[in-house]
Amino acid sequence: DQQVKQNSPSLSVQEGRISILNCDYTNSMFDYFLWYKKYPAEGPTFLISISSIKDKNEDGRFTVFLNKSAKHLSLHIVPSQPGDSAVYFCAAIYDGNKLVFGAGTILRVKS
Amino acid sequence: KAGVTQTPRYLIKTRGQQVTLSCSPISGHRSVSWYQQTPGQGLQFLFEYFSETQRNKGNFPGRFSGRQFSNSRSEMNVSTLELGDSALYLCASSSDRGGPSSYEQYFGPGTRLTVT
């Protein structure tokens, strides 16, 4: 049972435009959400997080939005840069310390 | 502060053999988790150790085991290797000192295991 779903396996965006990565979840008990970025041959790198009591968190070019009623999470990257090309994983924390990941979305930013 | 380190980075084994992977967490981090990543899959949770005790476990067979030492370093063992065990094995550490943000996990570079 996949509790965190990233339905788009890949996304291609032009440099300078906005990248929107989406994530849906099924467990209403999730209390914290995170986004990770992964380059080939490297481990995932923590990017940005959001608590379930908030609906938006911003850090530079990265903004995460949380819609609890829709059980939907999104990551906006603006403006997108070629170096942003990577696999992006959304993840959720529940029961205090359990972490579950989505399958990932490959982002390609074209210059 | 040094990041999470994993050794070895690459490993080739044959079916039926066993393998031990090592992970050193970020200094001060007490929780260590292990994940398996295969092509087309997300990160599949194997298990998590905290204070030398397995605290959480994913849905993997008993051939996959682990342990954590008093200095928080962790090892993962896979016995009777199968071809399907070929994957990138990632270790992650977190401080786990209270509050959801302390559960943000920091990953090592992974060990690429190939079973032939």
Side-chain angles (χ1 to χ4, degrees), chain B:
Chain B
K1 188 185 271 191
V4 177
T5 58
Q6 291 185 247
T7 56
R9 291 294 309 277
Y10 302 92
L11 206 50
I12 299 175
K13 291 285 190 178
T14 56
R15 278 180 298 175
Q17 287 187 311
Q18 73 154 18
V19 66
T20 299
L21 312 180
S22 181
C23 171
S24 293
I26 291 173
S27 177
H29 282 193
R30 302 184 298 172
S31 169
V32 174
S33 297
W34 288 89
Y35 296 86
Q36 180 195 66
Q37 185 186 17
T38 51
Q41 299 292 320
L43 281 72
Q44 305 295 316
F45 173 71
L46 281 153
F47 29 66
E48 184 223 357
Y49 284 86
F50 180 83
S51 293
E52 303 179 62
T53 301
Q54 188 180 89
R55 185 163 65 175
N56 290 305
K57 189 177 188 303
N59 296 321
F60 277 80
R63 300 185 297 107
F64 292 81
S65 63
R67 59 177 175 168
Q68 186 180 34
F69 301 95
S70 59
N71 61 358
S72 294
R73 191 177 70 83
S74 177
E75 287 183 347
M76 189 192 92
N77 185 276
V78 188
S79 62
T80 320
L81 284 166
E82 300 177 0
L83 294 178
D85 296 334
S86 294
L88 179 68
Y89 289 88
L90 291 158
C91 162
S93 74
S94 62
S95 65
D96 201 355
R97 293 189 184 278
S101 63
S102 72
Y103 304 128
E104 292 164 2
Q105 296 190 356
Y106 296 84
F107 285 80
T111 295
R112 172 72 63 186
L113 172 64
T114 301
V115 182
T116 61

